[in-house]
Amino acid sequence: MYNPTVARLTYRALLGRRRALILCALPVLLIAISIAVRAFTGLDDKVAADLLGGFALATMVPLIGVIAGTGAIGPEIDDGSIVYLLSKPVKRPTIIMTKLTVAIAVTMVFSAIPTLIAGFILNGNGQQIAVAYTVAALVASVAYSALFLLLGTVSRHAVVFGLVYALIWESLFGSLVDGAKTLSVQQWSLALAQKVAGEGYVDATVGLPTAVILLVAVTVGATFYAGQKLRRLTLAGEE
């Protein structure tokens, strides 16, 4: 279910000069803000939790997921080069799983690691806040990558739809509207962070069992449907 050649091509596409600069921008901004906040406010667990939850998990992780998830396959479909890949003796599920693995890896590196660094800068991992939000970022990276990889497979406007989801649904409705919180990857990942962090520092509106079930369901469902979509695209290309 993993092809090194497909992985190498996907990494090359995702980590090209322009996209790499975009991927680095938000983590650098997070760390810079964390240094400034620590300098002005000192060690404050509540401030650390608010910054990691409000910026790192609510904004940075989904945006990096959009870039990595849609970029893993969307450009190839848009310019037609996916046909050449599909003509090779590589199973279609292997292509999807390989691209998903690469997207997850890139999202984790550019979101979870900076979150951990920022957490240690802000409060030295007091109340396990840095680790808690890092766990949330890791889990969210998997779900976001699968979801946005699916968007890249089914739509030529995947980046636009992904940004709408990340900026409007996750950052706005997913944080403020009670009903929308149940359908938010951010809230599902917060359920795991709440389990790790000290009491009172992470607030999740979704229970842990529900969050785990929904995370698995979205990841598996999005991956499966992306594979089915790619299979139909293959048949059209062969005809």
Side-chain angles (χ1 to χ4, degrees):
M1 299 301 289
Y2 183 85
N3 185 282
T5 301
V6 175
R8 185 173 64 254
L9 293 172
T10 307
Y11 275 118
R12 185 180 301 173
L14 285 179
L15 301 178
R17 182 176 301 177
R18 178 186 298 179
R19 191 170 277 115
L21 289 174
I22 297 174
L23 286 169
C24 288
L26 286 172
V28 169
L29 180 60
L30 172 64
I31 293 173
I33 292 174
S34 300
I35 293 172
V37 169
R38 177 62 186 270
F40 282 106
T41 66
L43 192 152
D44 190 316
D45 295 338
K46 187 66 169 65
V47 170
D50 289 343
L51 179 58
L52 294 180
F55 182 77
L57 191 62
T59 302
M60 183 183 72
V61 180
L63 286 179
I64 290 176
V66 170
I67 297 169
T70 60
I73 195 169
E76 291 177 291
I77 294 178
D78 289 343
D79 63 20
S81 61
I82 190 70
V83 174
Y84 297 98
L85 178 60
L86 297 177
S87 66
K88 304 299 180 182
V90 181
K91 294 180 179 179
R92 292 9 174 205
T94 299
I95 294 174
I96 289 296
M97 287 302 301
T98 301
K99 288 184 173 293
L100 176 61
T101 301
V102 172
I104 290 172
V106 170
T107 305
M108 285 182 172
V109 168
F110 285 93
S111 62
I113 294 177
T115 298
L116 182 64
I117 294 172
F120 273 95
I121 291 172
L122 287 164
N123 76 332
N125 195 38
Q127 301 294 330
Q128 293 292 308
I129 289 172
V131 171
Y133 278 102
T134 300
V135 170
L138 289 170
V139 172
S141 295
V142 177
Y144 282 132
S145 296
L147 185 61
F148 294 133
L149 180 68
L150 172 61
L151 278 178
T153 306
V154 302
S155 174
R156 291 182 177 272
H157 306 289
V159 174
V160 175
F161 291 135
L163 290 174
V164 169
Y165 177 85
L167 295 176
I168 297 180
W169 184 266
E170 289 282 7
S171 297
L172 185 59
F173 290 105
S175 300
L176 303 176
V177 182
D178 289 337
K181 292 180 179 180
T182 307
L183 301 177
S184 168
V185 174
Q186 175 192 340
Q187 292 297 322
W188 304 339
S189 59
L190 278 174
L192 280 82
Q194 187 179 46
K195 187 70 175 179
V196 176
E199 186 175 354
Y201 289 98
V202 180
D203 183 24
T205 58
V206 180
L208 183 59
T210 302
V212 172
I213 291 172
L214 290 172
L215 283 166
V216 172
V218 166
T219 302
V220 173
T223 304
F224 174 79
Y225 190 75
Q228 295 302 306
K229 177 65 177 179
L230 191 63
R231 189 186 302 276
R232 291 195 293 270
L233 179 64
T234 302
L235 292 174
E238 290 174 349
E239 290 174 358

